[in-house]
Amino acid sequence: MHKNQRKRREGSFLFSVNEEAELLPFLLENMKKNSRNSIKSILTRGQVSVDGQTVTKHNHPLLPGQKVEILANKAALNESKLTGLSIIYEDDSIIVIDKEASLLSMAAKDKNERTAFSEVSAYVKRQDPRQRVFIVHRLDRDTSGVLLLAKSEQVKMTLQDHWDEMVKERIYTALVEGNVRKESGTIKSWLKETRTFKVYSNPTDNGGQLAITHYRKIRSNRQYSLLEVMLETGRKNQIRVHMEEIGHPVVGDKKYGSTVNPIKRLGLHATALTIVHPVTKEVMKFESAIPSSFINKSL
């Protein structure tokens, strides 16, 4: 495909079509700085027009001489009002966000507290006052990274009822205390929560929930190790409890054994989530960059 001239209009990008193509491949070729998921979001949100007509179909045929315009979106104007999170991907069924540390996924007691749920709810209602969102899973308040929400109760139920089959991969990055000697390992135990909301681990079945965590060392120094952690099960506080169990608590995690807080936050980040899309059945991977503070401390 020939390179298309790209002109910047006020608040938009304009491309000229030089040869026959389908819309999605054309956009992927001409917007290489954008991920496939973000380009699909742009299409779904109605930000793409061909010769002035809004087009959302991925396989819309393009002909030489046509003009494809990417509007600096209704969504971008809305996104600028978001606090504590950014949108990774959005379509008619799901919305995937990158949550900052210190933001609750959903309010527990104070219904007026700002949360990921309240921010995304307000965002979708600015586009359509009837639109609702539903929490599918949660991240701890102090854990940052990829979080998935549903745009209908049916999609939420589909994801929750078939979570183990539909979630193909959940990867976290953990900055932990000390130099982890093993290059990789698996931690398996049973987790039980006390009345004070602390989770305890037991090597044998104590009536709690089976939890399995796999880890791989990315790098380490004398003080800290950076680990890639893959969840085989997703129990409450699982990674935090298991890191304490192997003698390398997550930094900043006073609740589970950490005595240092060099990055002024919990050293846990949800890096990647791979799912089977609840409607299209396409396998999709959503990623968030590892916080630079994690990398700097483990160099």
Side-chain angles (χ1 to χ4, degrees):
M1 186 181 293
H2 301 298
K3 275 286 169 199
N4 293 277
Q5 197 163 11
R6 182 161 91 162
K7 299 176 188 172
R8 188 78 195 257
R9 279 195 196 170
E10 186 65 40
S12 71
F13 287 102
L14 191 64
F15 299 95
S16 298
V17 180
N18 294 330
E19 57 186 62
E20 288 187 24
E22 289 188 350
L23 185 53
L24 179 59
F26 176 88
L27 294 174
L28 290 169
E29 174 68 21
N30 286 282
M31 299 175 71
K32 286 184 173 169
K33 288 186 179 177
N34 297 65
S35 70
R36 187 181 182 90
N37 283 337
S38 71
I39 290 172
K40 284 183 175 180
S41 280
I42 286 166
L43 269 170
T44 307
R45 289 168 172 167
Q47 292 169 234
V48 180
S49 68
V50 179
D51 288 346
Q53 297 294 311
T54 300
V55 178
T56 56
K57 284 180 119 182
H58 295 183
N59 62 349
H60 179 84
L62 298 175
L63 299 170
Q66 288 186 313
K67 304 291 184 194
V68 177
E69 188 169 13
I70 316 297
L71 301 171
N73 59 74
K74 318 154 188 173
L77 299 173
N78 275 334
E79 280 181 49
S80 66
K81 299 176 185 175
L82 290 168
T83 306
L85 61 95
S86 58
I87 291 167
I88 298 173
Y89 175 78
E90 180 184 5
D91 62 25
D92 290 340
S93 308
I94 60 172
I95 185 163
V96 184
I97 65 167
D98 192 350
K99 184 185 86 67
E100 292 178 7
S102 81
L103 185 68
L104 266 179
S105 294
M106 192 173 187
K109 294 174 185 173
D110 181 3
K111 299 301 177 192
N112 296 317
E113 182 173 2
R114 189 176 58 80
T115 64
F117 174 75
S118 67
E119 285 287 305
V120 177
S121 290
Y123 160 76
V124 298
K125 285 184 189 303
R126 284 195 288 271
Q127 295 176 79
D128 179 355
R130 297 163 301 173
Q131 181 65 61
R132 296 176 65 199
V133 289
F134 300 83
I135 288 279
V136 176
H137 67 120
R138 301 183 190 204
L139 295 177
D140 293 340
R141 178 200 286 271
D142 296 315
T143 301
S144 52
V146 181
L147 184 67
L148 169 68
L149 297 95
K151 282 187 158 183
S152 72
E153 198 152 17
Q154 185 180 353
V155 167
K156 172 198 164 183
M157 296 305 291
T158 299
L159 284 162
Q160 289 183 338
D161 291 348
H162 305 281
W163 186 251
D164 290 341
E165 305 103 85
M166 299 189 85
V167 175
K168 296 300 181 187
E169 187 180 59
R170 286 181 78 182
I171 294 175
Y172 288 74
T173 303
L175 182 67
V176 302
E177 289 187 25
N179 186 349
V180 176
R181 297 294 176 189
K182 288 177 72 176
E183 290 300 314
S184 62
T186 296
I187 308 152
K188 178 179 177 181
S189 70
W190 280 260
L191 303 184
K192 214 171 187 180
E193 189 174 9
T194 67
R195 286 180 183 173
T196 57
F197 306 112
K198 185 165 183 181
V199 177
Y200 284 90
S201 176
N202 208 64
T204 55
D205 190 348
N206 60 352
Q209 294 181 304
L210 175 63
I212 303 170
T213 305
H214 306 283
Y215 70 86
R216 177 182 70 83
K217 186 163 74 170
I218 300 171
R219 63 164 65 91
S220 63
N221 54 34
R222 286 181 181 180
Q223 291 176 291
Y224 308 108
S225 298
L226 191 66
L227 305 180
E228 180 184 85
V229 182
M230 192 177 82
L231 292 182
E232 190 169 316
T233 58
R235 311 302 183 198
K236 183 178 178 181
N237 295 168
Q238 177 175 322
I239 295 172
R240 297 165 62 183
V241 176
H242 276 171
M243 291 300 108
E244 181 186 33
E245 189 168 314
I246 64 169
H248 296 280
V250 175
V251 300
D253 195 359
K254 194 174 175 183
K255 186 175 182 179
Y256 293 105
S258 178
T259 56
V260 296
N261 191 359
I263 57 173
K264 304 292 181 268
R265 56 157 291 185
L266 185 73
L268 192 58
H269 181 74
T271 314
L273 176 69
T274 303
I275 64 163
V276 177
H277 191 285
V279 176
T280 66
K281 306 306 176 192
E282 179 185 358
V283 176
M284 304 182 82
K285 184 172 187 175
F286 306 106
E287 296 180 273
S288 170
I290 299 170
S292 57
S293 58
F294 288 29
I295 296 167
N296 295 338
K297 283 294 173 188
S298 59
L299 287 172

